[in-house]
Amino acid sequence: MDLERRNEELEELYLLEECFPEAEKLKQDTRLLSQWNHYIQCDGSPDPSVSPEINTFISLWKEETNETLEEVIAKSKLVLNLIEKLRLLLLQTPSYDLEDKAIIQYQGSILELQELLHLKFNVATERLLRQASTLADLDSGNMEKVIQDENVTVYVWANLKKNPRYRSVRFSETQIRFEIPRILATSGIAIRLLHTHYDHATPLRPVSASLQGHTATVTHFVKDEVQKGETEISKELQEEYKQQECESVSVCEEETKVEEQGDTEVQMSFVQEESEATKCELEMKLLSEAVFAAQLLLIENANEKPCFCEDNEVDLCQFTTLGGVYHLDIFELPPQCKPMKGWMIVEILKEGLQKYIYPPESTEDFETENAFPPIEVTLEVQENVIFFEDPMVARWDAEGKHWQTDGISNVLYQSEERLITFSLETFGPVTLIQDTHINMPFQSWELRPLDVNKVLLTVTTVFTEIQIQVKENLCMLASVKVDNKKHSSTLEGRWMTPISFILALKETGLNIFPTGHSHFYVVINRKEPLVEIKAYRQLALLSSAFAFGWSKWNVECGSKKVIVKLREHLTEEELVQDPNWTLLMFSGDRAQRLKINENSETFSEALKEETEFHSTLYHLVKDFASKEAMEKIRSSKCQFIDSVCYMLLSTRLLSYS
């Protein structure tokens, strides 16, 4: 392969890959348009990215102190929406466009909203419990209340009768149950289960130092280069203007001077247009480099684990919380409302709602040794969450600010009924956890076109087969199979942006997205980052007309090469059981067709007869592709190519299969 042809191929690939900075420009425009749309909407909700607006919202809500649980739950929808917007801003804004100041502001606002929302639930619970005696059940004499919503479910039970024989607390029309000891059955207490379908207990993950450093470097580099370009352009303009001015001054005749000035204006206009084009070209080049660097970060493997975990502490790089958080609390029953001469009199405690400490810090005053046994709890597991193995239960350690597994015993999971029962030594937030990498490494994968600017990505793991559709700048869960059986999911049929889609899949337990630390927990087929990223970008470019798939030989070719199987696929009718696949090998700067096929007995890098080496996958397939296929590739939209590439980078199929 001669140097001249290589340069021509790389130059053509560079022009094709301009789709990535173009897609990023469109994303920037979308973000700006979103801000403008919020501004003109005038619906009273704050823009969470604007510090004064969100601070005003928080301050005004703090002043509202007499809300019911129903009112707090209704308001929580707006609060959760604001938190989600901030969360997406941190994830969707590219690293080179996100300043440290903005990161601190957004994360600070998220924490404030989370803490205030939980405080509001406590204040509203206190208000409800002050009225417990007026809401008591006629049969039991105790109060029971259940409020259900799409994001939150609240269960409250108040022990008004203090009957020592009433030891089993079960909420009507649910499977939620508590087996309480005698000391609680005879005490003026209330039990509250606040099941939030989100997790606000786990601390926000800080942006890593390497990412912040990279962000600052790229941002300053881009700004400096653009400024430098603008300065050079400005100098050119000034020199042109001075030259033209001198020429016009040297001409004596009035009529000639006017003509020269006209020519000067035309030439100035031409120079300005040329300088604008140069400036745009420079900005796109720098944006292209910044996008490439940001994509490289997605497949970067960390050199070491982020932290060392103590005994019983949950490693959040290895495990994921699923199904939200169950906030289990025992409160001291506040003074009850009393009717008096047509009025309701109530004593309001200055210190507010008080937690009942169980077991107490000192047990010397109690005679029996087992006066404070563990409390048996039965909880319902959220419907839209998939557990591929029995979940583990973890409790929140408020002092250490982490999840841990001690203090929990006798765990029993009933998968059919979706119930989990366990004994808990002390109340507090609990959650269910699953191995983050339970579906890794993947067994196989396939990416095939469905239509113009539309593909289907299928990832097969030990437990499941996940099919994802990608069209333009959106993704959708097409189907899920668990143990070869169709599994219905609330995400099916919902189109979302790639980042929102990935978050939603993770929250339902369908995690096929490795992180920078995943290689510490999964045996992977490691590939060189530059080879991997170039392969994903070029596969995305070709995805409109070609189907790609997993090859068993990808494990044999080493870390500096990747092997995929490929075939042209233009229509849905072309789907056959045993297609005739071609094997391609790519090293980042050289692509070739292999002589072997998927059924060969031994591995060989021998070149297929009557084929030749190329610098890119694009030019390799160009040798044998139909005109229709090449036309489809050239007419693919930049947003579509970018979205496919993002999904490939996020799943890292070449390293994790």
Side-chain angles (χ1 to χ4, degrees):
M1 187 173 61
D2 59 13
L3 186 62
E4 185 180 349
R5 192 183 72 176
R6 172 181 165 78
N7 289 336
E8 285 176 4
E9 289 183 352
L10 291 176
E11 191 175 329
E12 189 176 359
L13 178 69
Y14 177 79
L15 293 173
L16 288 168
E17 288 189 337
E18 281 185 348
C19 62
F20 295 112
E22 282 172 14
E24 187 53 47
K25 287 285 281 182
L26 288 172
K27 287 181 198 172
Q28 290 173 356
D29 293 343
T30 302
R31 286 194 290 272
L32 290 171
L33 184 62
S34 176
Q35 285 182 325
W36 173 247
N37 286 338
H38 182 275
Y39 176 75
I40 62 174
Q41 200 170 4
C42 296
D43 61 355
S45 64
D47 182 344
S49 64
V50 179
S51 187
E53 286 192 32
I54 196 67
N55 290 341
T56 301
F57 173 80
I58 290 170
S59 299
L60 291 174
W61 198 28
K62 280 180 180 177
E63 292 173 7
E64 296 175 28
T65 57
N66 204 29
E67 294 165 294
T68 63
L69 275 170
E70 289 85 355
E71 288 170 338
V72 172
I73 288 173
K75 188 72 167 275
S76 72
K77 291 177 183 178
L78 171 59
V79 175
L80 293 172
N81 182 255
L82 295 174
I83 290 171
E84 187 63 18
K85 281 183 178 179
L86 287 167
R87 188 180 171 205
L88 288 174
L89 272 172
L90 286 167
L91 291 170
Q92 289 181 340
T93 309
S95 54
Y96 51 81
D97 215 14
L98 193 62
E99 296 181 354
D100 291 353
K101 185 181 176 183
I103 294 170
I104 293 166
Q105 178 196 318
Y106 297 163
Q107 290 190 335
S109 296
I110 289 172
L111 286 172
E112 274 196 84
L113 288 168
Q114 289 177 347
E115 289 169 5
L116 182 56
L117 181 58
H118 195 70
L119 175 66
K120 287 289 183 178
F121 276 117
N122 286 347
V123 172
T125 301
E126 181 187 7
R127 180 180 173 179
L128 173 68
L129 290 175
R130 288 202 299 262
Q131 304 166 22
S133 58
T134 64
L135 302 170
D137 180 69
L138 293 175
D139 295 330
S140 67
N142 296 319
M143 187 212 79
E144 175 192 306
K145 192 171 182 70
V146 179
I147 307 171
Q148 288 187 315
D149 185 70
E150 59 183 319
N151 300 312
V152 181
T153 308
V154 185
Y155 306 84
V156 183
W157 177 79
N159 189 17
L160 299 168
K161 283 296 182 183
K162 304 175 189 175
N163 186 345
R165 289 178 297 179
Y166 198 92
R167 305 271 289 275
S168 183
V169 179
R170 179 171 176 172
F171 289 90
S172 56
E173 299 181 8
T174 75
Q175 297 295 315
I176 304 289
R177 192 175 70 250
F178 300 92
E179 297 296 331
I180 61 174
R182 179 184 176 85
I183 191 165
L184 290 181
T186 56
S187 301
I189 55 104
I191 294 176
R192 183 190 69 180
L193 165 58
L194 172 63
H195 180 198
T196 59
H197 299 176
Y198 48 83
D199 178 6
H200 287 175
T202 304
L204 297 173
R205 291 196 178 186
V207 178
S208 66
S210 63
L211 177 57
Q212 287 185 8
H214 178 86
T215 300
T217 305
V218 174
T219 305
H220 291 148
F221 173 72
V222 170
K223 286 180 180 175
D224 290 348
E225 287 296 311
V226 171
Q227 262 187 346
K228 189 173 158 187
E230 284 176 344
T231 306
E232 287 173 3
I233 289 163
S234 179
K235 282 180 181 176
E236 284 177 19
L237 282 170
Q238 287 175 12
E239 285 172 11
E240 288 280 345
Y241 181 74
K242 282 178 181 176
Q243 188 180 343
Q244 299 294 344
E245 195 177 49
C246 289
E247 287 174 6
S248 63
V249 167
S250 63
V251 179
C252 299
E253 295 179 9
E254 186 80 25
E255 200 173 304
T256 309
K257 185 189 271 189
V258 171
E259 286 176 9
E260 288 292 335
Q261 282 177 350
D263 290 343
T264 302
E265 286 174 11
V266 170
Q267 289 176 17
M268 277 288 290
S269 175
F270 174 74
V271 171
Q272 282 177 338
E273 285 175 13
E274 194 176 10
S275 66
E276 279 297 319
T278 307
K279 182 184 170 184
C280 281
E281 191 180 331
L282 176 63
E283 282 182 343
M284 287 300 282
K285 184 183 177 183
L286 294 172
L287 184 58
S288 179
E289 290 172 5
V291 168
F292 186 87
Q295 288 177 338
L296 199 56
L297 278 174
L298 290 172
I299 59 170
E300 190 176 59
N301 289 331
N303 294 322
E304 56 184 27
K305 290 186 181 181
C307 60
F308 174 77
C309 295
E310 302 286 341
D311 290 342
N312 300 313
E313 182 183 343
V314 176
D315 180 356
L316 289 175
C317 290
Q318 185 178 4
F319 295 97
T320 302
T321 65
L322 285 177
V325 177
Y326 301 86
H327 297 267
L328 297 165
D329 294 293
I330 306 175
F331 297 116
E332 293 178 6
L333 208 55
Q336 296 299 293
C337 294
K338 294 177 183 177
M340 190 175 290
K341 296 180 181 180
W343 294 82
M344 293 297 288
I345 306 298
V346 63
E347 178 188 354
I348 298 177
L349 301 177
K350 186 179 179 182
E351 56 271 18
L353 195 62
Q354 294 297 296
K355 285 194 176 183
Y356 182 95
I357 307 300
Y358 180 91
E361 294 173 2
S362 174
T363 58
E364 293 176 2
D365 300 334
F366 299 91
E367 296 175 3
T368 58
E369 287 184 15
N370 202 25
F372 303 97
I375 299 170
E376 186 180 293
V377 180
T378 299
L379 302 174
E380 294 177 349
V381 177
Q382 205 172 318
E383 282 293 329
N384 64 333
V385 174
I386 300 175
F387 286 100
F388 297 99
E389 292 178 344
D390 289 358
M392 293 183 284
V393 184
R395 66 177 183 86
W396 180 248
D397 180 358
E399 288 185 14
K401 302 291 183 188
H402 57 248
W403 295 103
Q404 55 188 60
T405 54
D406 61 337
I408 299 163
S409 57
N410 305 323
V411 180
L412 173 65
Y413 179 58
Q414 298 165 264
S415 57
E416 292 295 322
E417 295 82 2
R418 297 192 69 80
L419 296 175
I420 190 159
T421 302
F422 54 91
S423 296
L424 196 60
E425 290 179 5
T426 182
F427 267 30
V430 299
T431 191
L432 307 181
I433 58 174
Q434 179 171 259
D435 186 348
T436 302
H437 309 97
I438 197 165
N439 284 310
M440 301 176 209
F442 316 128
Q443 291 188 321
S444 66
W445 61 272
E446 184 180 306
L447 178 72
R448 63 181 173 87
L450 292 177
D451 203 345
V452 180
N453 296 311
K454 190 176 183 180
V455 296
L456 180 72
L457 173 63
T458 303
V459 179
T460 306
T461 75
V462 173
F463 295 102
T464 183
E465 179 190 274
I466 300 171
Q467 291 194 325
I468 299 165
Q469 284 188 23
V470 182
K471 72 169 183 182
E472 298 189 5
N473 62 332
L474 299 170
C475 301
M476 180 192 76
L477 181 64
S479 75
V480 180
K481 286 182 183 176
V482 179
D483 296 329
N484 294 319
K485 293 177 184 176
K486 180 82 169 67
H487 178 89
S488 60
S489 170
T490 54
L491 295 179
E492 285 182 43
R494 289 172 54 192
W495 290 100
M496 291 178 264
T497 58
I499 289 177
S500 296
F501 175 74
I502 289 170
L503 288 174
L505 271 191
K506 285 181 177 180
E507 286 169 2
T508 58
L510 296 170
N511 192 350
I512 53 169
F513 307 100
T515 67
H517 300 98
S518 293
H519 61 286
F520 291 115
Y521 308 99
V522 183
V523 177
I524 69 168
N525 178 25
R526 196 184 78 82
K527 300 295 179 182
E528 290 292 329
L530 279 175
V531 175
E532 198 174 353
I533 191 174
K534 286 179 180 179
Y536 292 143
R537 284 164 70 101
Q538 293 181 41
L539 290 179
L541 279 170
L542 300 168
S543 63
S544 284
F546 288 88
F548 297 93
W550 169 84
S551 169
K552 67 181 181 181
W553 301 119
N554 188 43
V555 180
E556 304 291 335
C557 63
S559 63
K560 295 184 178 179
K561 298 183 182 75
V562 296
I563 293 176
V564 295
K565 60 184 183 182
L566 164 145
R567 73 183 184 90
E568 191 171 300
H569 187 108
L570 298 177
T571 63
E572 190 64 29
E573 288 71 33
E574 289 179 33
L575 187 62
V576 290
Q577 286 298 109
D578 297 305
N580 185 23
W581 293 98
T582 298
L583 289 184
L584 307 184
M585 187 167 74
F586 182 55
S587 65
D589 54 12
R590 191 169 80 163
Q592 68 179 86
R593 293 176 72 179
L594 294 177
K595 185 176 182 179
I596 59 169
N597 59 41
E598 200 64 17
N599 299 318
S600 300
E601 292 184 5
T602 56
F603 175 66
S604 168
E605 293 188 8
L607 184 70
K608 187 177 176 69
E609 298 90 345
E610 299 179 1
T611 65
E612 56 185 353
F613 293 104
H614 285 275
S615 298
T616 74
L617 289 172
Y618 172 80
H619 293 92
L620 179 65
V621 301
K622 199 175 176 182
D623 281 352
F624 57 88
S626 66
K627 287 183 179 179
E628 189 184 352
M630 295 312 296
E631 183 57 37
K632 268 191 153 187
I633 290 167
R634 283 189 284 267
S635 62
S636 297
K637 289 186 177 180
C638 63
Q639 287 178 301
F640 163 74
I641 297 168
D642 183 68
S643 295
V644 173
C645 183
Y646 190 85
M647 290 305 295
L648 294 175
L649 289 164
S650 298
T651 49
R652 296 193 62 186
L653 300 168
L654 297 172
S655 285
Y656 279 80
S657 297

